[in-house]
Amino acid sequence: METAYIKTPVGIARIEGDEHGVSVISIVDEATQLSPEIPNILSKAAQELHEYFEGERRDFSFALNPRGTDFQKAVWQELRDIPFGKTTSYMELSRKLGDVKAIRAVAAANGKNPLWIVVPCHRVIGSDGSLTGYAGGLWRKKWLLEHETPPVQHRLF
């Protein structure tokens, strides 16, 4: 397993993976030294995350290898299907997975998402439009949502 630490506008990100794909991307709140070199296995992920933060990328193409239960993986796949710049609710995710009563299980799986940004759990909000819990902190969730939906400049003349 290789690990790299990269700088993002919202903190230091840790990327972990091997020849089978990236298994973890997380935000690190404690002081951590940036990786002087990115391992080859993780270089595409680091580059694509950089492009995302620069506003040049909306989708990711590097191999993923998250660890989780079949149910968690099904939820994470639904999260990947949320379009860039859009949001959904836990209730809507539960509906798409075929069981509205599974809303708490869906929320728990969302909270265990090991692939920050790439599996966009930040795009899940409350049914009333409120920002709900986010492992990286609500300020980061707000930042990411604003990054994906910048204000539109209307013509002045």
Side-chain angles (χ1 to χ4, degrees):
M1 184 74 63
E2 298 281 352
T3 302
Y5 294 90
I6 62 169
K7 184 177 181 182
T8 78
V10 291
I12 305 292
R14 182 180 77 222
I15 308 169
E16 293 180 14
D18 58 23
E19 66 277 359
H20 301 292
V22 174
S23 55
V24 175
I25 300 173
S26 60
I27 197 75
V28 180
D29 280 325
E30 64 271 0
T32 303
Q33 201 151 35
L34 298 176
S35 297
E37 268 187 55
I38 306 295
N40 265 356
I41 285 174
L42 305 177
S43 63
K44 187 172 184 181
Q47 180 61 38
E48 289 189 9
L49 284 167
H50 174 75
E51 291 167 359
Y52 167 85
F53 283 111
E54 290 295 315
E56 300 167 357
R57 176 171 291 279
R58 295 175 168 220
D59 298 304
F60 299 92
S61 63
F62 54 89
L64 302 178
N65 188 27
R67 290 176 184 86
T69 66
D70 289 343
F71 179 77
Q72 288 171 332
K73 289 178 180 180
V75 171
W76 300 338
Q77 183 54 55
E78 283 298 327
L79 293 173
R80 292 198 68 207
D81 291 340
I82 303 169
F84 183 91
K86 302 292 183 192
T87 58
T88 193
S89 68
Y90 293 109
M91 179 62 76
E92 186 58 33
L93 281 175
S94 298
R95 277 192 196 111
K96 286 183 177 181
L97 288 162
D99 185 359
V100 293
K101 294 178 185 174
I103 190 167
R104 288 179 191 248
V106 167
N110 191 54
K112 298 233 187 254
N113 170 22
L115 292 162
W116 179 63
I117 296 177
V118 177
V119 175
C121 58
H122 62 277
R123 296 179 189 157
V124 181
I125 59 174
S127 295
D128 62 357
S130 63
L131 294 185
T132 54
Y134 187 64
L138 288 180
W139 74 270
R140 284 190 181 104
K141 182 173 189 160
K142 183 176 187 284
W143 191 98
L144 292 168
L145 291 173
E146 288 173 354
H147 173 69
E148 293 184 2
T149 55
V152 176
Q153 175 67 43
H154 296 283
R155 290 178 63 156
L156 297 175
F157 303 101

